[in-house]
Amino acid sequence: MAKHGLARPFAASLLCMLLALPLLSAYASSSVELEKPEETPELEDILYIIGKEEAPSGVVLHTREYDEAAFFWVAPRLEYYVLLIREKYPALPLVILSHGDEIISLTTTNAAKYPGVHSIIRRLVEKQGVDFQICGAYAAMNDLDESAYPGYVHVIPSAPSALSDYRDLGYEMISIELTW
């Protein structure tokens, strides 16, 4: 979770509710259709970022799951969070960085098995300008390389190194809740 200096859980929850009301009501009249996923455990962190007066350098949403099918429940949350951030900061650099077993679902050979996941990821890249990255080192451990992935999935050499680089550049880091 992002560290933002709110000492009391009640104060943090109250702040999130107060920040969410104008944002969510704005969606009722906006052209963006937004369906809130059933679970959004990272929402407090997202609301903190969009509640800031000044935009961060960028935002990285980081996933690492031990379940190939994890994007079934993670991708809708990612899309929801990206739309919330885009409403406040349309040009903010956004990265989704993945380096767990969930990257297996993103191969072109698995597109038919996970069509909804591929649709969301493609939409995030093509319509929302997200740089969707996966760890090339982790892919290699699974006998996969860049040619195994569609063009909207950017294979980078090392996710841990990239996370460190983004942190050094001042990006806000949000780890998407892990299931293990």
Side-chain angles (χ1 to χ4, degrees):
M1 262 198 176
K3 302 290 185 217
H4 44 76
L6 293 175
R8 297 185 188 115
F10 176 76
S13 296
L14 181 61
L15 176 63
C16 286
M17 288 188 303
L18 292 173
L19 289 171
L21 290 175
L23 289 169
L24 295 176
S25 66
Y27 279 108
S29 62
S30 80
S31 62
V32 176
E33 287 190 33
L34 189 64
E35 184 176 324
K36 184 179 179 205
E38 192 172 306
E39 294 185 24
T40 54
E42 304 84 11
L43 185 57
E44 183 177 323
D45 294 327
I46 299 298
L47 293 175
Y48 171 73
I49 290 169
I50 60 180
K52 289 181 164 188
E53 290 196 25
E54 189 174 316
S57 299
V59 175
V60 174
L61 302 170
H62 168 246
T63 68
R64 191 176 117 215
E65 294 281 347
Y66 289 129
D67 184 348
E68 175 184 317
F71 276 126
F72 272 133
W73 65 88
V74 172
R77 286 178 10 208
L78 292 170
E79 185 171 40
Y80 179 70
Y81 298 151
V82 166
L83 291 174
L84 288 175
I85 293 168
R86 280 286 178 246
E87 185 75 16
K88 173 81 183 261
Y89 303 118
L92 186 71
L94 295 177
V95 175
I96 296 173
L97 182 52
S98 181
H99 67 117
D101 288 339
E102 72 278 8
I103 70 170
I104 296 167
S105 68
L106 301 175
T107 62
T108 53
T109 57
N110 278 327
K113 186 176 178 183
Y114 302 102
V117 167
H118 279 257
S119 177
I120 290 172
I121 302 306
R122 174 179 235 143
R123 193 166 48 245
L124 287 172
V125 171
E126 294 176 357
K127 305 254 188 226
Q128 298 300 325
V130 171
D131 186 1
F132 193 94
Q133 303 175 358
I134 65 161
C135 181
Y138 197 80
M141 288 191 295
N142 287 282
D143 295 321
L144 299 167
D145 63 17
E146 190 170 354
S147 68
Y149 293 92
Y152 49 88
V153 174
H154 180 197
V155 181
I156 61 169
S158 169
S161 294
L163 288 170
S164 178
D165 292 343
Y166 285 122
R167 193 172 292 112
D168 291 346
L169 290 170
Y171 279 53
E172 291 279 349
M173 312 294 275
I174 298 178
S175 292
I176 301 303
E177 182 182 278
L178 304 176
T179 56
W180 41 272

